[in-house]
Amino acid sequence: MPRRSALLGQPLFRLLAINLAIGVMIAALLLGGLLYLNPGHLRDLIFADDSPGTALGLLLFGFVVTFGSAAMGSAIMAMGTDLRGGDNGGKKLALPIELISGAEAIPVRADHGARPMRRRRDI
């Protein structure tokens, strides 16, 4: 049985690698869409150059950095949230919204990371 790499055994690294792959796919689709739609004759400009691979590579690299980091960042920020919509989260709060006269309070789910501060007891 092949042994998995120690790096792939780390859940955080797997999460980041999967979301980076998603960002690369989005970047490739966007580049393909730009070349297909040819806005502002971009495709014509790129392929009229002596080395179109350089322009395509730089454009793809910029898109990969942008969408890969956005996908990885959103995955990190979504850690700890219940995506199934379960009722395991925080308490429901009523936040008063008084922008318009007669507005009612809107129930909002509290943040998972918001915990009441404990008072420090000096011994």
Side-chain angles (χ1 to χ4, degrees):
M1 177 181 288
R3 185 175 170 209
R4 288 192 327 181
S5 167
L7 195 56
L8 290 177
Q10 299 292 326
L12 181 61
F13 180 78
R14 268 197 323 260
L15 175 77
L16 291 176
I18 289 169
N19 284 284
L20 177 62
I22 291 170
V24 168
M25 288 190 312
I26 292 171
L29 286 173
L30 181 66
L31 181 61
L34 277 175
L35 291 176
Y36 177 74
L37 293 175
N38 197 17
H41 302 286
L42 180 67
R43 180 183 60 214
D44 301 333
L45 286 172
I46 289 174
F47 289 114
D49 190 25
D50 290 336
S51 58
T54 304
L56 289 174
L58 287 171
L59 194 57
L60 182 63
F61 177 74
F63 286 153
V64 165
V65 167
T66 301
F67 292 108
S69 61
M72 290 167 46
S74 63
I76 290 292
M77 288 186 273
M79 286 176 58
T81 58
D82 187 11
L83 299 177
R84 295 171 290 171
D87 200 22
N88 301 342
K91 299 175 183 176
K92 291 194 177 186
L93 299 175
L95 299 177
I97 306 295
E98 298 175 357
L99 297 175
I100 304 171
S101 62
E104 297 180 13
I106 300 172
V108 180
R109 183 172 293 280
D111 185 23
H112 290 291
R115 294 193 175 119
M117 294 182 61
R118 294 185 183 183
R119 288 194 304 191
R120 184 176 174 194
R121 296 182 185 172
D122 293 328
I123 298 176

